[in-house]
Structures are given as C-alpha cells and as structure tokens.
Amino acid sequence: MKIGEIAGGERGDGSKPLDGVRILAIEQMQALPFATQLLAHLGADVVKVEHPVTGDSGRGSLPAVHDVDGRDVGATYLRNSLSKRSIAIDLKHPDGVALVKRLAAHYDVVGENFKPGTMQRLGLGYADLAAVNARLVYVSVSGFGNLLPSPYASWPAYASIAEAMAGFYEIHRREGEYPRLGPAGALGDIGSALFATIGMLAALRHRDATGRGQHVDVAMFDAMVAMADIVPFFHSMGVFERKSRVAGIVNTFRAKDGYFIAQAVRPHQLEIFSRAVGHAEWLDDPRFADRSGWQEHFADVVQPAVEAWASDKTMLEACTALTSAGIAAGPCFSPAHVVADPHVRSHDMIIEVPRPDADAPLLVAGNPIKLSEVAEGPVRRWPTLGQHTDEVLRADLGLADDAIAALRAAGAIGGA
C-alpha cells in the first residue's frame, strides 16, 4: 500500500473505529509512538508535541533521510510517525506549559513516555491535567512505572533493558556464551506500546460508562515479564534446571537456499515428521522412545538426516512438504523475502512512503489489525517538525495570528 491509498476499499463506508478520538502525544522514540501510530491507523487524531529545536528524540536516530524541510530525520521517527500532526512547544517555557494545559481540555487522551517524575516536574502530570479535564485518559509508558513502587524507579530504560530484565536474553544463553541482545527487534518498545494501547482503550470504555478519566500506567519491565511468561512459569516447574528444555522438535534446519523451522512436539506429530522426512525407522529407535530424546540426539541424528532430505529443496518446498503432511513449518525469511512475500503484500503489511532524498520508497510496517467493515488507509507521511503548530492552536484554542506570533517570538513555540 502506498501513502494516500485506500486498500480494501470495498470494506465499509470510509469511517474508522476511533474517529473522533483525539490524542495529545508528548512522546519520544518508539514505546509510545508505535502505539499512537497504530491508533492513528484506526482513526484517532494524533497530535505530537515536539521540542521546537530538536523535536522528538527519534528524529536524531540513525539511519536518517534528508527531509523536505532541510532537516535530517532518523529512522525511529520515520517509522512511528505516519498520519500524525506535529506541534512544536517548549515544555520548559511557562507559556509552553500553559498551552499544553489548555490543549488538554480538548483531547480525550494525553500520552507520555518520559522518565517517571519528569511530567510532574514540568507541571504536566496526571493530577495537573485532570484538573482541567476530568474525563482525560492519561497514558504513561516508562521503564518501571509511575503508580506502584519499584526499586528501579529512577533508572532510565530502553527496550533492551526491559527485555534483559524479563529473562529473554538469559533463558536461551548457552554455557560460556554472552547473552544475545535483541531477540525480536524492538520487542520491549512494541510490546509495551501494545499494552499501552489496550489500557488506553479500556480506560476510554470505562470513561464512557462512568464519565471519569484515569491514569493508565505501563512499565516496560512489566510488559516484558508478561511477554516472557514462560520465564516465571517454567521456573516454577523446574524446566530450566533440566538438561533438555524442549521435548520433541522445535528447531531450524538448512535447505538449499536458506533455513526453515519445524515444530513437532506431540507423539503423533513426531510420527508424521519422521515419515515426512523419510525416516520412519526413528519410530522404533530406543533413543527416541521418550520425547526428550529428540533434542538429546538432535545434533548427531535428527539434524543431519533432515538436512540431507532438504538439501535439494528450497525453504518453501521443504515447508510445503511438511505442512502438507500436517507439520507446522515456516521459512526463516531474509529482509528481502519479507518485503516481497505475497502474504505480506496482500495483507497491506508494507506501507510505501516516498523518500524525499532518493527514488526508492521507505517501507514501513502496516497495521496488523484487520476489520471486516473498515478499509485500510489512507495513510499520511510523517510531519515536518512543528508543521501543524499554527493549525492546531487556531482550531483548538482559537488563537489569533498575532497571539501565535507573540508565542513564537517568546520562544514558547516553533514550527511554521
């Protein structure tokens, strides 16, 4: 899907489920921006509050593109700011703080993902803004939360910190190896963003029923503990103390053009798997009498045999043979495979955004939420810094041009 297009246009009348929901996003990097972009895909009006000079810190990430306003814009910002508007307000300027307080009265949601205590020190905490809008839903995402005590409350955090502390890096570490970082891209950010989205929607539903807003608080550490749910659960069952933690086959294998993964963990699946790869004799082999034996003898028996079977097959051919027999399998796609995959394309999971400094478009992940009565898109490109400052201040606060000019002259706002 390209910027500005409507995909699946036969679905619905053009309305979106979050039409009318307004979000004022005082956000940085990805943990909250991913959530608000997802909400924008679903129809919410998302207005980003950015510093007049530096903007969202994601603008300074690498790699970067040279934008139409002459600024370099970093990848983190580019892929998390579609369909949003940008206003440039200095939150350390008293007039800037006053503007945000006035704006909060016109929004359903204020979201922030700063270190705990930052918004309160600025005079923009939940209590400050609830005083001007009792129906406000205030969403916070931080490393260790705002509402409940934590021994790590003062620590800064990024996705990798929360992932590591939740056990993702340690549970698969082999003896003598260092933990491997980044098991699934920006899992700590995106996982936290999804919980923030759920919390915001739940709070809006509660507000509609009661008339009261509330503070929704998501700690990235909590989100990762939830996503790494096997860590506490398997620990309680003693699984991590065993020599083999997997019973059956959950492994990768080499084909002639790459790798694929297959999973067969139930007795009937192992029987099907053995026959599918041409080794029915494994069913009578005493080494495989117990399901744990498949892992104990994976490297010396199973892997070489399966890779010999797959040596003349592509990843997709091997997976097709296994899935046709009833075994779950899938290719280990490279980035090039992912962006060209027919499923990814037909599901509009790639958004092509024209790049202002090159011919080839940027490819941003699409919206995985598919609705039977709602078409995908249209999607707008990311905003330039402060692009919508005057527009929002006029529409929301009724400020005249001379008042806006005075705020800009005082350094409280930026943007064109």
Side-chain angles (χ1 to χ4, degrees):
M1 180 170 65
K2 293 182 172 64
I3 284 290
E5 284 186 345
I6 298 177
E10 71 280 359
R11 301 201 304 273
D13 57 4
S15 63
K16 297 292 181 69
L18 296 184
D19 283 349
V21 173
R22 306 197 68 207
I23 302 171
L24 192 65
I26 309 172
E27 59 185 17
Q28 304 285 323
M29 298 300 285
Q30 188 164 18
L32 184 62
F34 183 89
T36 54
Q37 180 172 270
L38 180 62
L39 295 161
H41 286 324
L42 296 172
D45 175 21
V46 179
V47 175
K48 287 178 67 74
V49 178
E50 303 192 61
H51 188 276
V53 178
T54 59
D56 175 342
S57 58
R59 287 181 179 271
S61 65
L62 294 174
V65 305
H66 196 64
D67 206 359
V68 294
D69 62 353
R71 295 173 178 268
D72 286 342
V73 186
T76 303
Y77 188 93
L78 295 171
R79 69 181 191 272
N80 291 288
S81 300
L82 301 182
S83 297
K84 299 180 184 181
R85 296 190 287 166
S86 170
I87 59 175
I89 298 179
D90 186 349
L91 300 182
K92 293 185 179 179
H93 193 293
D95 290 342
V97 171
L99 280 175
V100 171
K101 285 184 176 180
R102 292 177 64 188
L103 286 168
H106 298 268
Y107 287 77
D108 301 284
V109 179
V110 167
E112 61 90 12
N113 63 320
F114 288 86
K115 187 177 175 181
T118 300
M119 295 295 282
Q120 288 85 345
R121 286 193 297 274
L122 293 171
L124 296 172
Y126 171 62
D128 301 304
L129 299 189
V132 300
N133 183 357
R135 291 172 55 83
L136 183 70
V137 171
Y138 188 101
V139 180
S140 296
V141 179
S142 63
F144 306 101
N146 290 266
L147 293 180
L148 300 174
S150 169
Y152 316 114
S154 65
W155 291 17
Y158 290 104
S160 58
I161 308 302
E163 292 164 6
M165 293 180 72
F168 275 107
Y169 297 174
E170 185 65 22
I171 58 173
H172 296 300
R173 183 178 65 84
R174 296 177 182 175
E175 189 67 31
E177 291 183 347
Y178 280 81
R180 293 186 179 182
L181 275 62
L187 179 66
D189 286 329
I190 292 175
S192 300
L194 295 179
F195 285 110
T197 300
I198 294 167
M200 186 211 76
L201 294 174
L204 285 174
R205 177 69 179 89
H206 184 263
R207 185 199 68 178
D208 290 345
T210 67
R212 300 191 306 274
Q214 63 183 296
H215 191 178
V216 176
D217 190 38
V218 175
M220 295 171 70
F221 188 13
D222 296 355
M224 291 304 95
V225 170
M227 299 198 81
D229 67 324
I230 64 169
V231 172
F233 189 81
F234 280 9
H235 173 71
S236 69
M237 298 184 72
V239 170
F240 295 123
E241 284 69 47
R242 299 173 191 166
K243 182 178 180 181
S244 176
R245 300 173 185 172
V246 178
I249 292 172
V250 186
N251 295 97
T252 55
F253 303 90
R254 186 194 299 270
K256 73 177 183 179
D257 64 340
Y259 297 85
F260 64 96
I261 187 168
Q263 179 167 327
V265 295
R266 302 288 182 263
H268 75 281
Q269 293 172 337
L270 291 165
E271 178 179 350
I272 295 170
F273 182 83
S274 299
R275 297 187 189 282
V277 298
H279 287 279
E281 74 278 5
W282 287 346
L283 301 174
D284 299 317
D285 192 321
R287 293 174 296 182
F288 303 124
D290 184 271
R291 278 185 287 167
S292 62
W294 294 86
Q295 283 302 310
E296 292 172 11
H297 296 284
F298 176 77
D300 61 325
V301 178
V302 178
Q303 187 177 40
V306 174
E307 292 188 348
W309 167 81
S311 62
D312 62 345
K313 300 175 179 63
T314 65
M315 296 182 292
L316 283 172
E317 288 169 344
C319 292
T320 298
L322 291 172
T323 57
S324 296
I327 297 298
C332 298
F333 277 159
S334 68
H337 287 120
V338 173
V339 300
D341 185 73
H343 169 100
V344 173
R345 292 289 178 168
S346 69
H347 283 230
D348 297 308
M349 283 309 300
I350 294 292
I351 300 172
E352 296 184 6
V353 186
R355 179 170 177 167
D357 59 355
D359 292 333
L362 296 169
L363 304 180
V364 179
N367 176 15
I369 301 170
K370 309 302 178 186
L371 301 172
S372 65
E373 298 299 317
V374 178
E376 299 278 336
V379 178
R380 301 190 308 273
R381 60 152 274 159
W382 64 87
T384 57
L385 178 57
Q387 178 181 348
H388 304 96
T389 303
D390 294 15
E391 171 186 302
V392 170
L393 294 181
R394 287 192 193 102
D396 288 353
L397 303 184
L399 296 188
D401 289 350
D402 57 347
I404 293 172
L407 287 166
R408 185 165 286 119
I413 65 172

